[in-house]
Amino acid sequence: MTMTVEERWAQFFRYGPYALLGLATLLGSVAAPLIMTRWEMYVAGALLLATLAVQAWWSRAMPRLLAAAPGEHAADAERGAGTPLLPEGTTAGRVYFVLRTALAFALTWFNSFFAIYACLGYFDAAQLLPPRAARAGIMVTAVALAGSQSGGLPPDSPMQWVVFGALLVFNATLAISLNHLGAKEAEKAEERAETITALEKALAENAALHAQLVLQAREAGVADERRRLAAEIHDTIAQGLTGIIAQLQVVSSTADPDLAREHVGRAQALARHSLGEARRSVANLSPAALEHDTLPEALKKTVGEWSERTGVAARLTVTGTEEPLHDEVAATLLRIAQEALANTGRHARAARAGVTLSYMGDEVTLDIRDDGRGFDPLAAATRTGSGGFGLDGMRARAERIAGTVAVESEPGQGTAISARVPLVRHG
């Protein structure tokens, strides 16, 4: 099984110090008779035993220290920083580094081959020590390595001092530069991990927002469909039933069989028409009046039938150049005209009514006027809570295609309703 980079470094920090110390001891033992006195060998042996003790203590303490802050390590892993290799910023880590570096420096003083073990300071100073202390630890390690490379500590001659100084500068500069580059790379890696985390969080938030918007859109669609069906029922079935009731009331109050037969026929025709309109409303189709006729033709028939049914004189006027309108625009204007005329027939007690359809460049205007008793729009709105379903229904229909409906009326002065919608051509 292939190990990751973090796992290899973890193995190095766990077993590497023993390997380097063993190699340094082996080479130092071979060279000891040539470069060390017997007394120095005894002192170096004691230092070696102390070094082994410190290393053994650290090997047992390091796993416990890493497990002491699982929350922080879990956060590091979540950011993508990987498993912590050394317990950063702990007192035990600082004590270990200081003791090990001091012992390694002393061993190198007696035998230059122990610089092999002393070089560990280059690898873990940045993790075990604060930034300033880490630089000091790297400098001490550089002194040990420069002394070993220049022939041992302390230098014996001016030339050896020069060589030692040059090697110290080289080692310190190289180690500090590499440490600085490593710190920068670590910062970049952490920034990248934070960016990835932020992007993942943003994507999760966007997914939640998308789901919420889909739900809201679905709810809005359901509500809009309910409003559409309510308006269609009001404009078709309700008006048809009102007309049927009016015709049957005439039948019940007359003794003339011919007149009764005429009004029964009208009631039947209204019932069939209302049934057809109801079916078309459920299927969200255009009104039957627009199936074969243009809007002016459908309005002319609607005004004529309404005038005949109610006995109110009514006339349609078309101004401007007629344009083929989009089905939704034509249906909206026809429904508004039907509702306005129905309101006039039920409430206005008018003698005359007029409907004007005007093509005005980029918009179409539909005006419905009567000379009835009129009403106070503000008072009606207060009394009904919203101005009545009929007026609200007309406004809702116009707003659905970016249009408006205005109502002007005063008691005794008649009523004028004006609908303005964009002129959207058919096709």
Side-chain angles (χ1 to χ4, degrees), residues 351-400:
R352 291 180 302 171
V355 178
T356 302
L357 178 65
S358 303
Y359 294 87
M360 304 169 62
D362 59 351
E363 69 178 9
V364 185
T365 301
L366 177 69
D367 297 300
I368 305 98
R369 305 171 306 282
D370 66 64
D371 61 354
R373 59 180 182 172
F375 66 99
D376 183 354
L378 294 178
T382 303
R383 183 169 60 253
T384 62
S386 62
F389 183 84
L391 293 177
D392 278 352
M394 287 186 278
R395 291 191 179 99
R397 285 184 180 278
E399 289 172 356
R400 195 174 295 126

Side-chain angles (χ1 to χ4, degrees), residues 1-10:
M1 182 176 179
T2 304
M3 291 191 299
T4 64
V5 174
E6 288 81 3
E7 289 173 338
R8 291 194 181 96
W9 275 111

